[in-house]
Amino acid sequence: MTAYSEVITRLISALESLPGIGPKSAERIIFHILKTDEAYACALADAIVEVKKKIFFCEICFNLSEKNICHICSNPSRNHEIICVVEEPKDVIAIEKAGGYNGVYHVLLGALSAINGIGPSKLKIEELFERIHSGAIEEVILATNPNADGDATALYLSQLLAKEAIKISRISRGVPLGSSFEYLDQATIACALRDRQPIHLIQ
Ligand SMILES: [Zn+2]
């Protein structure tokens, strides 16, 4: 039974539902907010509401965007025949920062995960195939994270993609196993994309 008031308990349970926040962190955040002035709390709340109102997922690639179509999908100087498949919008940012990639993206909004109960229907996989079937796509680069879930997702996609008449490649193994893009330096990301390996499935 908690000793906190109803107001605090409500905020604790709201914060606890955020990824990576446990009960202890939720308490620390609340005491931090209580110690700051009201303007800080209002600015924080406003920023949360504003991001929810103004930022959308791009209708084509599911990257974050302030418009229906993101700045990458709407850029005619990008190569729209190459799609780099990533897990999250933050992976797009990491690859863009690394530089050297001029194709477009497809953000799955997650990775397959048996432990977390994430199956193919929870990811933007159908939408990826709609893109492949509706446009002139030459190559799909599987740039899901080089960890267990990312590899499982890449394997699943490569088996489906084998039925399509396109080139399939996977980011090179220069990327440390078990890692994710957000922890890699820009040079490693750029090399992993440049040295991507074609996938040849044994039928
Ligand atoms: Zn887009």
Side-chain angles (χ1 to χ4, degrees), residues 57-65 67-74 104-107 131:
F57 291 114
C58 169
E59 285 178 6
I60 297 172
C61 74
F62 300 95
N63 187 17
L64 295 179
S65 176
K67 295 177 183 162
N68 291 349
I69 309 294
C70 77
H71 68 286
I72 296 171
C73 288
S74 54
V104 291
Y105 295 90
H106 190 86
V107 184
R131 283 179 78 182

Side-chain angles (χ1 to χ4, degrees), residues 60-109:
I60 297 172
C61 74
F62 300 95
N63 187 17
L64 295 179
S65 176
E66 290 191 27
K67 295 177 183 162
N68 291 349
I69 309 294
C70 77
H71 68 286
I72 296 171
C73 288
S74 54
N75 183 347
S77 67
R78 305 282 302 214
N79 183 349
H80 290 255
E81 292 178 349
I82 303 180
I83 298 179
C84 180
V85 178
V86 296
E87 293 178 23
E88 302 287 352
K90 61 178 161 45
D91 302 330
V92 173
I93 293 168
I95 293 171
E96 286 296 293
K97 269 192 191 161
Y101 176 67
N102 193 44
V104 291
Y105 295 90
H106 190 86
V107 184
L108 296 170
L109 297 180

